[in-house]
């Protein structure tokens, strides 16, 4: 596809596009990328393109802006759920050799959730993947959702973005600019994006990153192997295709941006249907005897419907819809997903007592595999600002259970419960501290740790943790401000913790260096 004219750009867009243009024009010579990296790129002939390092840098700069976008959502429950799909897919892709060690180590392989209610997912440079809540809400099984993730993962593993950014390709900078505009346009609260859509470039913008048909075919083929290799039901690919096709027939009002970047040709559909019987053949990869990625690891349908309900509620800010869900979930014989949506809607409407009562009913009748999701919902309601007045005795019990749990959502809600109840704070701090040692890029964990440390009266540590939360999202200026503030604390507070003070000094130098590096690249 060719982009004839320049779409209207706001200063923010212009800044992005200029950075992207610079990155695209300053590519290393097209020869040698493949040889240097040693990455094995099957089937598509021309492997030359952007280096892995350059692609990652470009991806990081896009991710940095997404982190600041009001539609970016780090919901602990949905992040954990998506990870239970994403990690087995990534594991299968590695085991199959689709993701060689160098790509595995140097790309981000990170999902970024957007509140957007339209059905979409997209691969970004550097191994970042955008996932709309609308996609999660529209899927009926984990296999359907995983099939889209597997397809997008394969665009990354086959280095389709780098291949599009070859130096010779005159269209490449525009493709890149259009893709990024598309990413922005795909997010609801960006006025400029809406203005851009209204313009004559609507089609170009909506197309996002327009991969070639060969690339789409390859992402289908590799993605299908990854999906089945991870132990997901192969039919997920087909039912997802059918769902999208049906949506395409019914309406094309822009609520399915995924369809624009992935036109469903009958050839693709037929190809996917033909693959299903093959899924049990040895071709499908390490499906048998791989406990971590085996079929047993795929989440039960009952859990998926709760998560889809959660995505639906979190993508909606209008109180009218929330009230409607609240009412529907209280009907006799309401399905568990409707009850979950009702409890979460009541919570978001500030009606804590009602939210808690519905969540308790749901938990009492919870299907296998969904107990933890209901318990977490109860805890989430109890740590909300309106629940304090309830003075509910179950807060301490649920807090201690969560702090003894193993998931990130357990840890984050457990710590919030420690703050809300002013109890078990030291235990929460110790667990968060251990977590951020293993996951230093977890901004929300650092932020929560900062609050817990403040509650414990550890001001120096609290300010440093806040700095780390900024650094984790590549806001090095914000991180530096806080590290300097930590060094300016009253002497009594600084000197009470000489070890931490030494760490602050080391981190300040490191962050200054990172800030210089990122200034050089812009
Ligand atoms: Zn695709």
């Amino acid at each position: 596809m060719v982009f004839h004219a320049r779409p209207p750009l706001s200063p923010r867009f212009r800044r992005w596009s200029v950075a992207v243009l610079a990155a695209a024009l300053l590519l290393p010579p097209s020869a040698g990328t493949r040889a240097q990296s040693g990455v094995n790129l099957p089937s598509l002939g021309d492997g030359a393109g952007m280096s892995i390092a350059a692609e990652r840098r470009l991806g990081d700069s896009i991710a940095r802006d997404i982190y600041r976008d009001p539609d970016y959502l780090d919901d602990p429950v949905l992040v954990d759920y998506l990870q239970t799909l994403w990690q087995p897919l990534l594991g299968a892709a590695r085991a199959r050799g689709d993701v060689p060690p160098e790509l595995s180590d140097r790309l981000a392989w990170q999902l970024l959730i957007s509140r957007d209610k339209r059905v979409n997912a997209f691969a970004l440079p550097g191994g970042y993947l955008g996932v709309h809540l609308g996609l999660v809400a529209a899927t009926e099984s984990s296999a359907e959702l995983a099939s889209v993730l597997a397809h997008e993962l394969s665009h990354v593993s086959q280095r389709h973005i780098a291949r599009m950014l070859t130096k010779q390709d005159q269209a490449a900078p525009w493709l890149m600019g259009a893709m990024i505009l598309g990413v922005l346009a795909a997010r609801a609260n960006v006025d400029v994006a809406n203005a851009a859509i209204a313009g004559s470039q609507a089609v170009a913008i909506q197309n996002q990153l327009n991969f070639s048909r060969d690339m789409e075919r390859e992402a289908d083929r590799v993605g299908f192997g990854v999906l089945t290799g991870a132990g997901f039901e192969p039919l997920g690919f087909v039912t997802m295709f059918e769902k999208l096709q049906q949506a395409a027939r019914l309406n094309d009002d822009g609520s399915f941006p995924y369809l624009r970047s992935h036109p469903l040709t009958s050839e693709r559909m037929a190809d996917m249907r033909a693959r299903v019987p093959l899924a049990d053949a040895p071709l499908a990869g390490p499906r048998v005897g791989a406990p971590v990625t085996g079929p047993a690891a795929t989440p039960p349908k009952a859990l998926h419907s709760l998560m889809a309900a959660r995505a639906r509620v979190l993508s909606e800010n209008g109180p009218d819809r929330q009230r409607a869900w609240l009412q529907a979930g209280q009907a006799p014989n309401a399905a568990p997903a409707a009850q979950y949506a009702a409890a979460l809607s009541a919570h978001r409407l500030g009606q804590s007592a009602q939210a808690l009562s519905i969540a308790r009913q749901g938990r009492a009748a919870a299907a296998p595999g969904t107990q933890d999701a209901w318990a977490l919902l109860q805890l989430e309601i109890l740590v909300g600002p309106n629940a304090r007045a309830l003075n509910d005795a179950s807060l301490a019990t649920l807090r201690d259970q969560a702090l003894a749990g193993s998931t990130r959502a357990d840890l984050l809600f457990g710590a919030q419960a420690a703050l809300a109840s002013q109890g078990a704070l030291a235990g929460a701090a110790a667990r968060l501290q251990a977590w951020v040692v293993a996951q230093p890029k977890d901004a929300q964990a650092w932020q929560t740790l900062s609050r817990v440390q403040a509650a414990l009266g550890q001001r120096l540590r609290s300010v440093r943790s806040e700095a780390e939360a900024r650094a984790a999202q590549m806001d090095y200026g914000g991180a530096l401000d806080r590290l300097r503030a930590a060094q300016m604390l009253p002497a009594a507070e600084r000197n009470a913790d000489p070890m931490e003070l030494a760490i602050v000094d080391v981190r300040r130098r490191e962050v200054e260096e990172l800030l210089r590096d990122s200034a050089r690249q812009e």
Side-chain angles (χ1 to χ4, degrees):
M1 131 153 257
V2 180
F3 298 93
H4 298 284
R6 202 183 174 120
L9 295 178
S10 74
R12 179 178 173 196
F13 281 59
R14 206 171 293 130
R15 188 166 68 72
W16 279 35
S17 300
V18 168
V20 167
L21 275 169
L25 295 171
L26 294 172
L27 292 177
S30 59
T33 311
R34 195 174 185 179
Q36 276 165 19
S37 68
V39 174
N40 178 31
L41 296 164
S43 6
L44 286 183
D46 177 17
M50 204 175 218
S51 73
I52 297 175
E55 189 190 331
R56 177 65 194 269
R57 271 201 304 277
L58 180 58
D60 283 351
S61 72
I62 296 169
R64 192 159 50 207
D65 275 8
I66 290 177
Y67 286 137
R68 276 150 201 59
D69 192 285
D71 267 359
Y72 167 70
L73 179 70
D74 177 4
D75 175 58
V77 173
L78 286 175
V79 167
D80 276 359
Y81 181 63
L82 283 169
Q83 287 301 318
T84 65
L85 314 184
W86 179 241
Q87 289 305 325
L89 294 172
L90 202 49
R94 288 187 185 119
R96 286 164 40 93
D98 297 326
V99 179
E102 194 185 9
L103 270 191
S104 180
D105 295 344
R106 293 175 67 186
L107 296 187
W109 304 109
Q110 196 183 331
L111 303 178
L112 302 169
I113 302 177
S114 161
R115 286 178 217 272
D116 200 307
K117 59 176 91 161
R118 290 172 297 172
V119 177
N120 205 7
F122 43 85
L124 288 162
Y128 293 94
L129 254 83
V131 180
H132 284 188
L133 286 183
L135 173 72
V136 181
T139 52
E140 275 170 66
S141 69
S142 59
E144 285 184 0
L145 181 52
S147 71
V148 176
L149 298 180
H151 174 97
E152 297 303 322
L153 185 156
S154 304
H155 277 312
V156 178
S157 72
Q158 304 312 109
R159 306 220 58 220
H160 289 165
I161 294 169
R163 279 169 169 158
M164 281 167 57
L165 291 170
T166 53
K167 198 183 171 202
Q168 280 74 22
D169 187 350
Q170 293 301 309
W174 290 114
L175 279 172
M176 212 56 205
M179 179 197 76
I180 286 164
L181 283 170
V183 170
L184 279 181
R187 285 179 267 147
N189 300 331
V190 184
D191 291 342
V192 184
N194 293 335
I197 287 172
S200 60
Q201 291 297 304
V203 177
I205 291 162
Q206 288 285 349
N207 264 298
Q208 299 188 2
L209 187 50
N210 230 42
F211 293 117
S212 72
R213 287 184 59 172
D214 282 348
M215 286 174 174
E216 291 302 344
R217 223 173 277 134
E218 187 175 60
D220 281 347
R221 179 178 61 76
V222 175
F224 188 83
V226 167
L227 182 81
T228 54
F232 289 98
E233 175 57 56
L235 213 59
F237 235 105
V238 174
T239 55
M240 192 69 213
F241 267 79
E242 283 168 353
K243 183 162 288 162
L244 289 167
Q245 200 187 39
Q246 200 173 14
R249 262 201 305 267
L250 289 175
N251 58 13
D252 189 18
D253 61 356
S255 57
F256 282 77
Y258 196 75
L259 285 172
R260 294 244 169 72
S261 54
H262 294 86
L264 298 163
T265 63
S266 45
E267 178 208 325
R268 280 184 78 199
M269 298 275 298
D271 192 38
M272 280 302 111
R273 279 208 195 86
R275 278 177 203 282
V276 169
L278 295 174
D280 288 320
L283 256 182
R287 196 164 177 227
V288 184
V292 180
T293 59
T298 66
K301 209 153 187 164
L303 180 60
H304 183 84
S305 30
L306 297 192
M307 295 298 106
R310 183 177 181 87
R312 207 167 297 128
V313 175
L314 293 185
S315 71
E316 180 65 61
N317 282 323
D320 290 347
R321 290 298 295 276
Q322 290 167 2
R323 279 189 212 104
W325 281 321
L326 173 53
Q327 203 171 5
Q330 290 173 293
N333 304 322
Q339 288 182 308
Y340 189 98
L344 188 58
S345 296
H347 170 59
R348 297 192 79 207
L349 288 163
Q351 301 174 17
S352 302
Q354 199 168 16
L356 197 58
S357 139
I358 301 168
R360 282 207 173 105
Q361 288 166 32
R363 192 179 174 197
T370 64
Q371 280 282 349
D372 292 350
W374 283 107
L376 265 183
L377 179 61
Q378 234 176 299
L379 186 55
E380 180 181 5
I381 294 163
L382 284 168
V383 300
N386 296 306
R388 301 279 163 84
L390 296 178
N391 214 359
D392 196 284
S394 61
L395 176 59
T397 316
L398 287 165
R399 174 198 69 203
D400 294 344
Q401 274 168 16
L403 286 174
S406 58
T407 68
R408 177 174 181 262
D410 283 335
L411 175 58
L412 293 175
F413 283 124
Q416 284 182 43
L419 286 163
S421 62
Q422 290 293 304
L425 283 164
R431 280 224 49 207
L432 282 164
Q433 194 78 61
W435 178 269
V436 294
V437 168
Q439 310 284 341
K441 302 279 277 175
D442 191 334
Q444 190 176 165
W446 278 114
Q447 197 63 56
T448 309
L449 176 58
S450 170
R451 289 172 57 208
V452 173
Q453 287 166 331
L456 287 166
Q458 303 169 345
R459 251 183 99 194
L460 181 65
R461 285 175 181 234
S462 172
V463 177
R464 185 208 148 203
S465 294
E466 221 189 308
E468 297 293 359
R470 299 297 175 125
Q473 296 190 336
M474 297 173 282
D475 172 10
Y476 301 123
L480 190 56
D481 286 348
R482 281 155 187 83
L483 289 168
R484 285 184 178 141
Q487 292 183 316
M488 305 284 277
L489 285 172
E493 286 182 277
R494 274 184 287 138
N495 299 334
D497 200 342
M499 182 77 108
E500 186 72 7
L501 195 60
I503 294 172
V504 166
D505 191 48
V506 171
R507 289 295 287 146
R508 183 181 55 79
R509 287 163 210 265
E510 285 172 357
V511 169
E512 277 171 351
E513 184 62 33
L514 288 165
L515 198 57
R516 273 195 294 273
D517 281 354
S518 60
R520 260 199 297 275
Q521 280 160 25
E522 270 174 21

